[in-house]
Amino acid sequence: MKRILFALSISFMLTACDSKPEAPEDILPEDKMKAILIDMHLAEASVSVQNQAPAKGTALYEKLEKEIFVTHAVDSAVFNKSQQYYLENDLEAMQSIYKQVTDSLKSRQEEAEALKSKKKK
C-alpha cells in the first residue's frame, strides 16, 4: 500500500510540474518581453562601448532603462514580475523569447557590419 501511495504521489508531482499555471493578467506577452529585452541589450551594448567609469556607465544604463520602459509603456515592476513569471513557470516560453532576442541582435549586428564594410569600399 505504501508503494502505491508513493507511486501516486510521484506521479502527481510529475504531472504538477508539467502543467504550468495560467499567466496572471498583468504578465507581459512574449512579443512585448522580446521587444523590451532587445532594447535593453542594445542599451547595455551602447554603454559598454563607451568605456566610461563603472559608476557613470551604471548611471547611463539606468537612465536608458527608464527610457525603454517609458517607450514601451511598461512599469519596471511589471517587467520584473513578468520576467520572474516566465523563468519560474514557463521556461520554454522564456527560452523562445531569448532565442528570438538573440536572433534579432545577431541580425542587427550582421546588418551593421555589412553597412560598415560597404562604406569602406
Side-chain angles (χ1 to χ4, degrees), residues 13-110:
M13 288 184 347
L14 291 174
T15 304
C17 290
D18 286 344
S19 64
K20 52 188 166 193
E22 192 168 319
E25 287 185 25
D26 60 345
I27 297 300
L28 297 173
E30 292 179 35
D31 286 346
K32 189 113 173 166
M33 285 292 294
K34 178 185 77 167
I36 294 169
L37 287 167
I38 288 170
D39 287 349
M40 290 176 120
H41 285 287
L42 290 172
E44 185 177 3
S46 173
V47 170
S48 71
V49 298
Q50 293 183 23
N51 294 322
Q52 295 184 8
K56 280 189 175 184
T58 300
L60 177 57
Y61 177 77
E62 288 172 356
K63 179 180 180 267
L64 293 173
E65 185 180 60
K66 285 178 187 176
E67 291 173 6
I68 290 167
F69 290 137
V70 169
T71 299
H72 291 279
V74 170
D75 181 280
S76 63
V78 171
F79 172 79
N80 291 332
K81 181 179 179 182
S82 299
Q83 189 172 34
Q84 183 175 353
Y85 169 81
Y86 284 114
L87 288 170
E88 292 177 358
N89 300 294
D90 199 349
L91 194 53
E92 190 175 303
M94 192 60 159
Q95 289 171 330
S96 173
I97 291 167
Y98 258 100
K99 169 128 180 47
Q100 294 173 56
V101 168
T102 303
D103 290 347
S104 176
L105 293 172
K106 282 182 184 177
S107 175
R108 290 175 187 221
Q109 181 180 13
E110 290 168 359

